């Protein structure tokens, strides 16, 4: 109930501030709102997971310590049951947030776009929870996990696709944008929102007349929702795999 109330309140705040239309000002407003949605979803999912998982991990490791030559249960069944229990909650809370926000902010009027918005945000929340599991598994304690959290989130926000271009990213860290869940979530929501939209021109100065023109400002014009979904799914799978390895090898 508390998490659901938090999601509803956040959606009401965003919906009360943003009132989108087809004017030029709404281009930046849309990008800003979508970025906030992804950052908030990622932040909440990672933080809530790493606060609880290190403590739970210590119990799991104790129960998996050899007793009469065999652990009580394996790492894979434990991880599978944990994901199966928590994944519906993470996805459901994300969908609740989207269902309240979408009509209030007057995002793209399309049933297909609405369903895609819910799907992309739910996947982002689930993937972020998976990242939280990995951080919690690697960290020796809750305090250590919480210390790793801020720089992790900052890096994902920096490489979200709008703050720095891929071309300007230093070569030694060129791979980081591809690992940023904030980037893939934001890109997916932006493609879903802007493709097919048209905007009224300014009376004076240059204008972005179509959603494709707006996406071009961030080099998203050739991107697809499928690409962003596959990228998030790949990061999620990698997080689950590494979490399993850490739990399996820990004693």
């Amino acid at each position: 109930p508390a998490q659901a109330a938090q999601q509803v309140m956040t959606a009401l705040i965003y919906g009360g501030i943003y009132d989108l239309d087809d004017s030029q000002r709404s281009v930046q407003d849309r990008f800003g709102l979508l970025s906030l949605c992804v950052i908030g979803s990622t932040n909440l999912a990672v933080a809530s997971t790493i606060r609880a998982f290190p403590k739970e991990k210590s119990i799991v490791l104790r129960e998996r310590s050899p007793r009469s030559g065999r652990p009580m249960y394996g790492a894979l069944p434990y991880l599978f049951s944990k994901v199966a229990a928590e994944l519906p909650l993470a996805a459901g809370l994300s969908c609740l947030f989207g269902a309240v926000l979408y009509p209030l902010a007057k995002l793209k009027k399309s049933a297909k776009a609405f369903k895609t918005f819910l799907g992309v945000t739910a996947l982002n929340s689930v993937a972020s929870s998976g990242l939280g599991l990995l951080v919690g598994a690697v960290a020796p304690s809750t305090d250590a996990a919480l210390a790793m959290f801020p720089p992790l989130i900052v890096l994902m926000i920096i490489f979200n696709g709008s703050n720095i271009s891929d071309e300007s990213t230093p070569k030694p860290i060129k791979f980081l944008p591809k690992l940023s869940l904030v980037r893939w979530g934001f890109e997916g929501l932006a493609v879903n929102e802007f493709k097919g939209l048209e905007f009224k021109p300014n009376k004076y100065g240059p204008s972005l007349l179509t959603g494709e023109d707006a996406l071009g400002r961030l080099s998203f014009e050739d991107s697809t929702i499928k690409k962003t979904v596959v990228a998030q799914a790949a990061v999620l799978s990698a997080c689950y795999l590494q979490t399993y390895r850490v739990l399996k090898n820990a004693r």
Side-chain angles (χ1 to χ4, degrees), residues 41-51 125 127-133 135 149 152-153 156 181:
S41 172
T42 303
N43 184 37
L44 179 63
V46 175
S48 59
T49 303
I50 65 176
R51 284 193 186 100
S125 181
S128 298
S129 295
L131 178 60
L133 281 178
V135 173
F149 173 60
L152 187 65
I153 290 295
M156 287 197 290
L181 290 173

Side-chain angles (χ1 to χ4, degrees), residues 82-158:
K82 181 173 179 61
V83 170
E86 295 183 358
L87 188 149
L89 176 62
L93 289 172
S94 181
C95 289
L96 174 63
F97 169 80
V100 175
L101 171 66
Y102 202 92
L104 285 178
K106 299 178 182 177
L107 286 162
K108 188 177 181 180
K109 295 180 180 179
S110 163
K112 181 179 179 181
F114 172 62
K115 293 177 182 177
T116 302
F117 179 91
L118 296 182
V120 172
T121 53
L123 176 58
N124 179 260
S125 181
V126 171
S128 298
S129 295
L131 178 60
L133 281 178
L134 177 57
V135 173
V138 172
S141 65
T142 300
D143 289 340
L146 290 173
M148 296 167 64
F149 173 60
L152 187 65
I153 290 295
V154 167
L155 283 172
M156 287 197 290
I157 293 174
I158 290 174

Side-chain angles (χ1 to χ4, degrees), residues 27-38:
V27 173
Q28 184 59 40
D29 291 348
R30 289 174 195 270
F31 279 130
L33 176 59
L34 297 178
S35 179
L36 286 173
C37 289
V38 176

Side-chain angles (χ1 to χ4, degrees), residues 32-244:
L33 176 59
L34 297 178
S35 179
L36 286 173
C37 289
V38 176
I39 292 172
S41 172
T42 303
N43 184 37
L44 179 63
V46 175
S48 59
T49 303
I50 65 176
R51 284 193 186 100
F53 187 56
K55 297 177 181 178
E56 181 178 328
K57 182 185 67 172
S58 64
I59 299 174
V60 171
L61 294 181
R62 185 167 62 250
E63 292 178 344
R64 292 194 68 249
S65 62
R67 291 185 177 182
S68 303
R70 295 186 61 184
M72 293 178 63
Y73 48 83
L76 186 60
Y78 162 72
L79 183 60
F80 179 81
S81 62
K82 181 173 179 61
V83 170
E86 295 183 358
L87 188 149
L89 176 62
L93 289 172
S94 181
C95 289
L96 174 63
F97 169 80
V100 175
L101 171 66
Y102 202 92
L104 285 178
K106 299 178 182 177
L107 286 162
K108 188 177 181 180
K109 295 180 180 179
S110 163
K112 181 179 179 181
F114 172 62
K115 293 177 182 177
T116 302
F117 179 91
L118 296 182
V120 172
T121 53
L123 176 58
N124 179 260
S125 181
V126 171
S128 298
S129 295
L131 178 60
L133 281 178
L134 177 57
V135 173
V138 172
S141 65
T142 300
D143 289 340
L146 290 173
M148 296 167 64
F149 173 60
L152 187 65
I153 290 295
V154 167
L155 283 172
M156 287 197 290
I157 293 174
I158 290 174
F159 298 109
N160 74 341
S162 64
N163 291 322
I164 185 172
S165 66
D166 290 345
E167 294 77 13
S168 300
T169 304
K171 288 185 178 180
I173 55 173
K174 280 279 188 183
F175 65 94
L176 284 180
K178 297 179 180 180
L179 300 179
S180 173
L181 290 173
V182 174
R183 182 256 174 86
W184 292 121
F186 173 59
E187 186 172 330
L189 291 183
V191 170
N192 178 61
E193 177 65 20
F194 279 92
K195 282 197 172 181
L197 286 183
E198 296 182 353
F199 300 99
K200 294 178 180 178
N202 281 326
K203 292 183 178 180
Y204 307 100
S207 301
L208 298 170
L209 300 181
T210 67
E212 286 74 10
D213 292 338
L215 291 172
R217 292 176 56 185
L218 301 180
S219 300
F220 289 170
E221 67 274 17
D222 295 325
S223 182
T224 63
I225 295 171
K226 180 181 178 180
K227 172 187 173 182
T228 65
V229 167
V230 169
Q232 290 193 81
V235 174
L236 173 61
S237 299
C239 288
Y240 283 160
L241 177 60
Q242 293 304 318
T243 300
Y244 165 69

